[in-house]
Every structure is written in C-alpha cells, then in structure tokens.
Amino acid sequence: MSSLGLIVPQATLLIGILALNALYIFGDDQDDQTSWRVQGFVLLLAFCQQLTLYRVGDRVFLTGGLILDGLSQTLSLAVLGLSIVVHFSRRYERAPFSSHGQILSLSCVLLALCSIQNNRFLFGLLALIGMLWSGVATLGSDISGERQQKAIQKGISQGVLFIVVGTFLNLLCFSTFGTTQLDEIRRMLTRPGFDPEALAAVQIMVVFIGASIMGIPPFFSAWGRVRQHSSWSFAVGITGIFAIAGLNVLLRWGVWTFSRPQIGGTSLEPLATINMLEMVRVVSMVALMLIPLIILYTKNLRQGFLTLLLTPLAQSLFLISFGQRVSFGVGIGQVVTMVIIFGLVMTAFIGLKLPQGSTLKNWLGLGRVNPFQVSILLLALGAAVGLAPFFGSLVVENALRINDYSVFVILANVLLGGIYVARLGMLAFQKTTVKVHPPVFLTGREKIWYASQLILLFFMGIFRDPLYISLYEYGNFSVRHFFGDM
Amino acid sequence: MGVKLNLKTTVLTLLLVTTCALGLLIAQPIGASWVLVAGLVFLGVLFFDDRGQLTSSWITTLSVGAIYASLVWALTEPSSEGFWRSTAGAVFFFGFLYEHNSPSWSGKNLFSSAFAPSLLFFVLVISQGAAVFSPEGSAVLNFSAVLVFALYELFIVFRDKGDYLSSSSISALRVGSCGIVTLFFGSTYMPSVIHMYPLNSISYLVPAMGLLLALASLAFSDVKRSYVFFTTSWNLFLLWAVLADEEYRLYAAILGAIAGAWSVAMANIDEGALEDFKSVYLKLSSWGFPGSFLFTAIVFILLPSQKPTVQLGSLIWAITFLTFWWGVIRMPWPKEGGTASWGWRRQVAVVVTMIGASGLAGATIFPGLFKAVWGGGV
C-alpha cells in the first residue's frame, strides 16, 4: 500500500463535502433524506477505511507531514465513530437537516482528522483553527437570528486568538529549531544547546492551545453560550470532537515531542527543562477538581452534562501524564469508551425531549415517567465519572497504583462526580410538585439503538482485555511508538 | 398448579443460566464452585419470587442480569483488584435497582439514597489498591467496604417508605450477593495482616456490631424495619464466620449464605396473619426460628471451637439471635385478615425449609461429605 493511502479517509470526507455541496446547489431543497444518506455513507466509509489502516507499517511519515501510529489511529477512529453517532442521533432528535449544517459538520470532522494526523505545528494549527470555525458555525447553524450572529462572531474571535498564539508558536519553533516538524524537533531536543526560555514558551503555548481546544476548565471559554442554544446532538458531538483533538495536541505536540522513552521503554523522560509530563498533569489535576465542582453548582442540566462529559478525557490525560507504558494503553482505551458514553448520553437526553434551559426541577421525578431513558442516562453518566463496572474504573485503578500522593485527585474527582450522579439518580425517582412532562414513548428501533450502546459499554467494561491489549501491543493501534520499540 | 412463564422471566432465567455456564467455563476450579453458589442464590430467589418483583419491568430484569454477570465476573477474576472492581459494579447496579423499585420519597438526604452506599463501596475498594497504602491500610479499606455492603439497607431504612423493599426479592439478592462476596473474599484474598494486632480486633468488632443491631431492632415495633436489621446482622454473621478461619465454619457459612437469601425471598413478611399456620411458619423461618433451614445454618456455624476469639464470638452471636427472637415474639403480629395467597411456589418454600433443615443437620453429622464436594471443585 502506498503511503498516500493514509489520506484515503480524508479524501473520502472531502468528496462527501463536495457531493453535499452539489446536492445543495443542484438538488431539490426538500430532499433532506438524500443528503442525510450521503453523509451517513461517507462517514461509515471513512470509518471503515481508517480501520483498515492498522495494517499499514508502524510509524509512517508523509512528506506533507501526516503521521500514523497507535495514537493518531485510535483518536481518528474515535472522531469518526463519534461523528457517526451524532449523525444517526440527529435523526432521532428530528433536528432540522440544514444543508450548510451538514457540510460544516463534515468539514469539522475532516479538519479534526487533519489536525490529529498532522506532524507539523504549522499545518496542525491551521487545521485546528479551521476546525474551530467550522465547529462553531455547525453549532450556529442550529440557531437563528441574533444568537447565530453572536455565536459565529465569538467563534471567529476565538479563532483569531488561536492564530495569534499559533503564530508566536510557529515563529519560536522556526527561530529555535528551524522547522515545525514534530519528529525533527523531538530528534533535535536530544542534543543540548537550546534556549531554555524559548523551549518553555513553546511548551506553555502548546499546553494552552491543547487545553483550550479540549475545553477542560478553566480553559472553556472557546464556546461561550453557543452550545446552550444549538441542537443537543451537535452540542455533544462537537464537544467530543474538540476534546479528542485537544487531547491529541497535548499528547502529540506536548508529551511526545518533549519527552523520550527511557532505557527499557517502560516510561518517558522529559527532554526540556520544564517537564512536559508534569505540566500536563497539573492541567489535568486542575480540570479533575474543577469539573465536579462546576457540575455540582450548576442547575442547568445541559451545561452540567456537557461539563461532566469531559471527565473521562481529563482522567485519561491525568493517567497518561505519568508517562508509564502500562497506563498509556488504558488511558487511550478510555478515549474509545468515551465515544460510546457520549453517544449514550446524547441519545438518552434526546429521548427525554426536555426543553432547552431545563434545570434540576425538570429532572425531578422524571425517572417515574420515562424510566428507560433516565436509566440509560444515569448509567452512562456513571460510566463517564469512572464508576465500576465500566472501563473508567480501570483508569482510576491504574492511576491509584502509581506511588504518588497526587493520584488522590482522581479519587476526589470520582467521589464528587459520583455524588452528582447519585443526586441525579435520587431525584429522578422522587416525588415531584412540579408538573412533569408527559411520557415520551420510544419505538422498538429506538429502544434497540439505546440498549445496544449500553450493552456495548457494559461489555467494554467487563471484557476490557481485548480493548486494552489491542491498544497496548497490536499493530497500528498500539502505543508502542511512544515508547520507542518500533 | 401450572407454571406461568412470561417473556421477562424466560429472558432472566436464560441470562442467569448462560452467565453461570460461561462463568463455569472460564473460572478456576475453586472459582467454579463459587459461581455455582451464586447461580443457586440467584436462580433460587428468582424461583421463590412469586410476586414477580424481579421481572416487574425490563429495566429491573436486565439490572438483575447485570448484577449476576458482574458478580460472576468478580468470582472469576484472577486478581483481588479485579474482584473488587467487578463487585463494585454489582453494588452500583444494586443502588440503581433499589432506587428504581422503591416508592417515591422526600429525596432530601443523599445519605438515604441507595446510591450513597454504592458510591462509598466503590471509593473504598478502588482506594485499597492505591500504592501509597500499607498492607494494613488496604486491609482496613477492604473490611470497611465489606461492612458497607453488609450495612447497605441501613442507609435507606430510615427514610419515609424505606421499609418497602424489606423481605423483597431485591433484598434477598442483596443478602445473598453480600454473603458470597464476603465469604469469597475471606477464603481467597483475606490478607494475613488481619490476624495480627490491632486488626484482629475485627473478630470482636463484628459480633459486637451484630449485638448492637439486635438491640437497636428492639426499638422498632415495625416488623419490616426490624427485619432489615436482622438481614444486616446475618451478613455480619457470615463475615465473622469467615474471620474465624476454620474450614468447616466456612462451609457452613456458604450454606448459610444460600439459606439466608432464599429465606428472605420466601418469607413475604407483610402478608398473612397468625391464623394461617403455613404463613406463620415461613415468617418465623425467615427469622431463623427452630425447625427452619436458617436455624440449622445458625447452629451449624456456631459449632464449638478451641479458639478463644471464636468462643467469645459464638457467645455474642447466640445472645444476638436470642435478642432478635425476643423482639419477634414481643412484636405485634396481625391476628386476623390479610390471608396470604398460597401458590405452588410458597408450598415448595415450606417444604424446602423443612427438608433443607434436615439436609443441613445431615451435613453437620457427616462434615467430610461437604468437604469432599467443595474441595473437589466441579
């Protein structure tokens, strides 16, 4: 297989965008079904194409600066999987199928893949900015009037901020290393003589960009209130895609570039004066503490759930930040299960048909009216927090095995997040003085769609070894590349 | 006397049987015996569930299946961390099952929620694997987790309508699961530090807690709340039996775990009056009164021992059960009305308590038989 084969999924997505454009220009305005089917087919095809790339030889670099290894492969699959779930959920949400919304969402997925598989700061940053703009515009496509204008304006201004930071980052890289290619920079860093202040500035900017794109608190200003007004499927889906892309920035641009495998290949050691692993750990620790505190004080359900959903990635980032080979596979495994969690929360919340701006008052007694949807939502939130028997508990367990007192932060995160889920569970089945919404009856197909995701999540938790082992040592899914034994 | 099977019952039975078969396939020989015990508990409770509580909705049915799958997975795990994590999964599903099936309550106190002990259990068991803890610290966390599981229903019993699930099939599953987890942990993973000072005081602490629960139950005239204290105490009793570290006491406790779970499911203590002899027999049987399956299990576990800790513990437990029985005798039982409905399952239940009692008595006389069966695996 030619190395150009690596860009086949991106090419498929690009053709899909062109096809949707063609349908938009030449097709019937009322024919939403055709464009929906085209988008679904393109996403499924790209997912299958990406899946087959595990057979390509390990660590392939293209002249254009794309990279393929276990991390980029797994994260790309996670992005494509999540976009497929979003796409099918929109049908159940009965959200309007605006053509420009579909084109923008597909563009966002394409740019997310480009940013994940990129081997250069420069092109990676361009992809991220494009992803940010198309992502915000996707969310804005669900809104109308003045809110839409404000949302898009906010997105553009955020993009400009990233352009400024990214320009400084690239200038510093050019002046310090003469290139923005990540593997070259990593190779150069093994030799002494670089200005420690310039290195520190590059590292800080990388962490800022990664955490901001990821959306973890306190870096979550990129969104504004746009997610509050858009459709639920786009809100969750775009949050997930950005979180995965941000995680990639922190791991690829940060951890991978500024560390190297120790002798024996079981752990990573820093290459710069500032330990990148420790920086990432501090960021993830702050996020792990802030996420549950924010959700416990948030009455708005949508905002609470969207913040809570970042927990698996923050836990994963925390575990990976210890730079140990054994825990790396578990951390990346959590990203895969995160896709199912996002999908479940998305579909179950859609199934409840709660109005926008719903608070805990609307939640009270809802479990008695819509037990199926509420049960699935509660279990998915439990999985997001990291409770057993789901895969997240393995992440918590692996983190606690590390001989460091900072690991208790993840325990506090699970405890506080668990309190939130327990409170939701308690309130869902209680007496209510507020007029509850009428029950929402699900069709048999919808129930099967919901239940199949839940069963998959449950089995990923109890039969965790296949997932873990494949990420640990199998072909291009493995994390061995990080630890230098290729 | 026809057997009425609906779709949910059939699905749950198939789930339990299939999971049990899979568990037997993947388990080590000793683990296979435990998988069988868990299967007996769950299938037995499903059999005696004449009120259809376990199949009242698809959510309940699938949750019971998930609990059993998590429990079987725990019993077949090769490491203690895996065992505890999978058990925590089962306990999480219990929290969900209790909240989903209990009537609405005020919901003002998070500690009265069934999710509270589930969360506490998870935090304790996941912390025990932390590298920063010494073996003694991990052992304390393990035992704290077991205690939380044993005291599970005390969290919810004090809320309004908290007595609703007392003596229900869900409660029976909880009692049985807790018994199996306690005994499996004690016989397989119990750390050696537990027999060293000061951790060995747990052997005194557990019977003392049982006695306290018995005394506390006297304060309730409500039979259902009082029964929660009894079942909680029963789980502590099994924990004490495994702490004794004597082989025959462990075997007896395994039978006690099955008998305890079945008795809770059979009892149906909120139906029937004193006029109905069979109903009274089953009710008393669920309190471990003479002549019942449970009573023989008590006697079997309280066999004489040479260890001073066990001797003292046996004495405290004997006083504990006498206190519970005294409380039952002075409790105002309904004298008329509310005749229990007697289906074929309840007839079988009466027969099982009688035959089971004789069977246990036989095992007491021929203890080698049980050892041969258990020691040989399956």
Side-chain angles (χ1 to χ4, degrees), chain A residues 21 25 37 44 56 73 85 95 111 124 151 207 266 294 305 425 432 447 468:
Chain A
N21 273 305
I25 296 166
R37 282 179 191 146
L44 283 170
V56 178
Q73 173 75 349
V85 177
L111 290 163
V207 170
T266 54
I294 288 169
F305 290 172
T432 171
K447 280 185 179 171
Y468 169 67

Side-chain angles (χ1 to χ4, degrees), chain A residues 2-18:
Chain A
S2 159
S3 55
L4 282 172
L6 302 193
I7 56 170
V8 168
Q10 283 97 319
T12 304
L13 290 173
L14 190 62
I15 291 167
I17 292 168
L18 293 174

Side-chain angles (χ1 to χ4, degrees), chain A residues 308-477:
Chain A
L308 180 73
L309 283 174
L310 293 170
T311 305
L313 284 174
Q315 290 178 346
S316 171
L317 189 65
F318 177 71
L319 181 60
I320 289 171
S321 73
F322 286 97
Q324 295 183 0
R325 183 179 168 143
V326 177
S327 52
F328 214 102
V330 180
I332 297 298
Q334 173 79 332
V335 181
V336 180
T337 54
M338 183 214 83
V339 174
I340 312 288
I341 294 169
F342 271 57
L344 264 177
V345 172
M346 195 188 302
T347 47
F349 198 75
I350 289 169
L352 285 169
K353 295 200 175 3
L354 284 171
Q356 287 205 347
S358 295
T359 61
L360 283 174
K361 274 187 182 173
N362 300 82
W363 179 261
L364 200 63
L366 205 60
R368 300 287 176 194
V369 187
N370 298 307
F372 194 79
Q373 296 95 310
V374 168
S375 305
I376 284 184
L377 192 53
L378 282 174
L379 293 174
L381 292 176
V385 164
L387 298 178
F390 304 105
F391 193 87
S393 59
L394 199 67
V395 174
V396 181
E397 186 189 288
N398 271 272
L400 287 167
R401 275 186 198 154
I402 296 163
N403 197 0
D404 191 314
Y405 281 100
S406 66
V407 296
F408 284 100
V409 171
I410 203 169
L411 197 64
N413 171 267
V414 171
L415 181 64
L416 294 171
I419 287 173
Y420 179 72
V421 177
R423 193 173 69 173
L424 282 180
M426 185 179 73
L427 294 176
F429 299 104
Q430 293 323 316
K431 292 171 189 170
T432 171
T433 52
V434 181
K435 189 184 172 189
V436 291
H437 298 281
V440 179
F441 297 104
L442 300 174
T443 61
R445 194 189 284 179
E446 284 172 333
K447 280 185 179 171
I448 291 170
W449 169 240
Y450 289 14
S452 56
Q453 289 181 79
L454 182 63
I455 291 167
L456 187 61
L457 187 65
F458 180 64
F459 276 92
M460 280 170 114
I462 60 171
F463 296 111
R464 58 197 175 275
D465 284 354
L467 175 64
Y468 169 67
I469 289 169
S470 68
L471 291 168
Y472 189 63
E473 60 184 27
Y474 192 61
N476 248 337
F477 292 129

Side-chain angles (χ1 to χ4, degrees), chain A residues 177 182-194 199 256-261 269-272:
Chain A
F177 309 109
L182 300 179
D183 59 318
E184 281 296 324
I185 293 173
R186 191 191 200 201
R187 205 168 294 134
M188 286 181 205
L189 281 170
T190 53
R191 295 192 294 269
F194 291 103
L199 281 182
W256 186 75
T257 310
F258 293 97
S259 67
R260 66 176 174 190
E269 63 180 6
L271 280 172

Side-chain angles (χ1 to χ4, degrees), chain A residues 29-293:
Chain A
D29 285 349
Q30 305 300 316
D31 190 13
D32 288 337
Q33 289 298 321
T34 309
S35 57
W36 187 83
R37 282 179 191 146
V38 166
Q39 193 181 355
F41 174 75
V42 164
L43 286 170
L44 283 170
L45 185 63
F47 182 82
C48 295
Q49 287 166 340
Q50 188 70 49
L51 200 61
T52 55
L53 287 180
Y54 83 91
R55 295 175 62 87
V56 178
D58 301 317
R59 193 164 59 165
V60 180
F61 293 99
L62 281 183
T63 48
L66 285 182
I67 186 168
L68 184 80
D69 66 353
L71 181 72
S72 64
Q73 173 75 349
T74 310
L75 297 188
S76 300
L77 284 171
V79 165
L80 286 166
L82 189 58
S83 53
I84 289 169
V85 177
V86 171
H87 184 66
F88 285 98
S89 300
R90 278 184 76 73
R91 196 173 182 82
Y92 293 116
E93 194 170 13
R94 293 175 183 88
F97 291 110
S98 64
S99 299
H100 52 283
Q102 286 181 300
I103 293 165
L104 285 166
S105 65
L106 211 52
S107 309
C108 184
V109 175
L110 171 64
L111 290 163
L113 285 194
C114 290
S115 74
I116 287 169
Q117 298 177 10
N118 220 298
N119 189 29
R120 290 179 197 273
F121 280 127
L122 181 61
F123 295 121
L125 192 80
L126 290 175
L128 283 177
I129 292 164
M131 188 187 78
L132 178 71
W133 279 341
S134 56
V136 174
T138 306
L139 293 169
S141 69
D142 278 348
I143 314 169
S144 56
E146 201 181 330
R147 280 177 179 165
Q148 189 182 46
Q149 288 174 5
K150 281 186 180 172
I152 307 239
Q153 206 176 3
K154 174 93 177 167
I156 290 171
S157 59
Q158 290 295 333
V160 171
L161 175 68
F162 281 111
I163 287 176
V164 172
V165 178
T167 306
F168 278 115
L169 173 68
N170 280 293
L171 282 174
L172 266 172
C173 285
F174 272 121
S175 62
T176 313
F177 309 109
T179 180
T180 62
Q181 196 169 325
L182 300 179
D183 59 318
E184 281 296 324
I185 293 173
R186 191 191 200 201
R187 205 168 294 134
M188 286 181 205
L189 281 170
T190 53
R191 295 192 294 269
F194 291 103
D195 180 8
E197 287 175 2
L199 281 182
V202 169
Q203 287 175 295
I204 289 167
M205 279 189 272
V206 164
V207 170
F208 171 77
I209 292 172
S212 300
I213 292 289
M214 212 176 157
I216 50 175
F219 296 92
F220 59 125
S221 60
W223 298 108
R225 296 181 64 80
V226 62
R227 290 187 304 179
Q228 293 293 322
H229 306 294
S230 65
S231 65
W232 177 245
S233 50
F234 271 164
V236 175
I238 299 289
T239 302
I241 289 171
F242 271 59
I244 295 168
L247 183 77
N248 177 70
V249 170
L250 288 170
L251 296 186
R252 173 76 62 199
W253 298 12
V255 171
W256 186 75
T257 310
F258 293 97
S259 67
R260 66 176 174 190
Q262 277 184 337
I263 296 167
T266 54
S267 58
L268 297 171
E269 63 180 6
L271 280 172
T273 323
I274 297 180
N275 188 340
M276 196 65 182
L277 291 164
E278 284 179 3
M279 269 175 83
V280 169
R281 196 177 312 150
V282 169
V283 168
S284 60
M285 281 166 71
V286 173
L288 284 174
M289 286 315 298
L290 286 179
I291 288 171
L293 291 176

Side-chain angles (χ1 to χ4, degrees), chain B residues 349-360:
Chain B
V350 176
V351 174
V352 164
T353 57
M354 288 177 172
I355 294 178
S358 346
L360 271 180

